Amino acid sequence: MRPDVFAAVMATGIVSIAAADHGYRWITDILAVLAAGGLVVLVVLAVISWRREPLDLRDPDVVVRLFTFVAACAVLDSRLADIAGVGWTLGTIALIVWMVLVAVAVRAMASRRWSELRDQSHGAWELASVGTSGLVIVLAQLDRLRVVAMVLWVVAIAIYCLMTALILGRAFAARLDPNGFEPDGWILMGGLAIATLAADRLHSGFAVVTWIAATLWIPPLLYYGIRHLQRPQARRFDAVWWGMVFPLGMYSAATYATAVNTGWASLREVSLVFFWVAFAVWLVVAVAGLVQLTTTRSRT
């Protein structure tokens, strides 16, 4: 079980939210059920697996990927907030796990030099920022904790800037080799998209700024993504593809929120386009994952 196994729940949950934005009731309900059920199943499997083979929490890459659990709880919290007790439960769990992971991540990263962190970094490292922004969205729903949520939003942006500096530092050191692109690179955009949604929940004017910044990431990510897909091995299914579904769904949700906040009606259409793109990619990745799982079981 990979430490970022909960990325599938993140992706499914945010596509469900994007579907709800555009009134696709059947799609949003089915995806919400799959996300909720998937979270429970994955928690059980992860506990069993990690008890047998404990994760190396001294490795920054392992710790950062675990923030998918925080983000998954936050996304589901937003989607299922109308169900009594669910919001508080998921929000409390997300907050506790976030505090633990932050402490462990700081310890793991402090033990390494900048050059070591740079050479190890990749798109998934933005998950620390994504998880923090997700927690902001949860806390923003509670008036008593709005100030705390604002502080955490600043922390999320600071983490994003730190991780982006590491990732771009590695990219320039490798001379921007397109063969080094991975689908989780889209989290560079997704980190700003979820920060946009968090700022919108806080009624902050920075939401437009982060949305524009997220939008500017799309052309280069698309360019390097197409270049990467020209490699035959890149077209094989890997769990890392969930790291691409989530940003696409999150951009749809963030764009919809921006449209509502600014009154720019054309952004609703942009949001709708990205919803269908995200949903299509979700279907491809889900089917590919099931095929791989079936094939693996048949061989064993």
Side-chain angles (χ1 to χ4, degrees):
M1 294 286 287
R2 296 163 53 112
D4 58 353
V5 65
F6 299 102
V9 178
M10 289 169 52
T12 305
I14 194 58
V15 175
S16 173
I17 290 174
D21 287 339
H22 295 285
Y24 297 113
R25 182 175 178 180
W26 286 103
I27 296 177
T28 187
D29 288 347
I30 291 172
L31 292 180
V33 171
L34 290 175
L39 180 63
V40 174
V41 171
L42 289 176
V43 166
V44 173
L45 293 177
V47 169
I48 295 173
S49 176
W50 296 339
R51 285 187 65 182
R52 294 174 180 173
E53 299 180 22
L55 298 175
D56 183 6
L57 298 181
R58 296 169 299 177
D59 184 348
D61 189 57
V62 171
V63 180
V64 170
R65 288 173 181 269
L66 286 171
F67 276 94
T68 54
F69 178 75
V70 177
C73 288
V75 168
L76 272 180
D77 179 275
S78 297
R79 177 61 184 84
L80 305 177
D82 294 336
I83 302 178
V86 172
W88 276 101
T89 301
L90 289 174
T92 301
I93 293 173
L95 177 60
I96 293 173
V97 174
W98 179 85
M99 290 189 294
V100 172
L101 289 179
V102 166
V104 176
V106 169
R107 184 184 64 181
M109 297 185 74
S111 64
R112 285 167 168 76
R113 293 177 296 181
W114 177 268
S115 59
E116 292 179 289
L117 293 173
R118 181 199 65 194
D119 294 341
Q120 191 181 6
S121 66
H122 52 97
W125 282 33
E126 298 287 7
L127 288 168
S129 176
V130 169
T132 306
S133 290
L135 190 60
V136 171
I137 295 173
V138 172
L139 297 179
Q141 302 174 42
L142 307 173
D143 292 335
R144 297 178 182 177
L145 298 177
R146 186 166 292 273
V147 174
V148 176
M150 290 180 179
V151 173
L152 283 181
W153 187 85
V154 175
V155 172
I157 295 299
I159 294 173
Y160 180 87
C161 291
L162 171 63
M163 297 305 184
T164 302
L166 287 168
I167 294 167
L168 293 183
R170 180 186 180 189
F172 284 112
R175 299 183 180 180
L176 293 173
D177 180 7
N179 291 333
F181 178 89
E182 290 291 340
D184 63 5
W186 281 85
I187 305 179
L188 285 161
M189 179 271 281
L192 289 172
I194 192 172
T196 298
L197 199 56
D200 177 76
R201 296 293 187 269
L202 292 170
H203 307 292
S204 170
F206 285 107
V208 176
V209 176
T210 51
W211 178 81
I212 292 173
T215 303
L216 292 175
W217 268 116
I218 295 176
L221 288 171
L222 187 60
Y223 170 77
Y224 282 107
I226 294 173
R227 291 285 298 273
H228 181 66
L229 285 174
Q230 294 175 2
R231 304 168 61 213
Q233 59 269 38
R235 293 190 287 271
R236 299 171 185 167
F237 171 79
D238 191 286
V240 74
W241 282 99
W242 288 114
M244 181 179 180
V245 180
F246 174 79
L248 292 172
M250 182 54 73
Y251 186 77
S252 174
T255 301
Y256 185 87
T258 303
V260 173
N261 188 41
T262 61
W264 299 341
S266 60
L267 291 186
R268 292 177 182 264
E269 300 303 319
V270 174
S271 172
L272 180 60
V273 169
F274 270 87
F275 159 69
W276 283 114
V277 171
F279 183 57
V281 176
W282 181 90
L283 285 173
V284 171
V285 175
V287 171
L290 289 173
V291 170
Q292 185 191 61
L293 181 62
T294 303
T295 303
T296 302
R297 285 187 173 181
S298 63
R299 289 176 180 175
T300 56

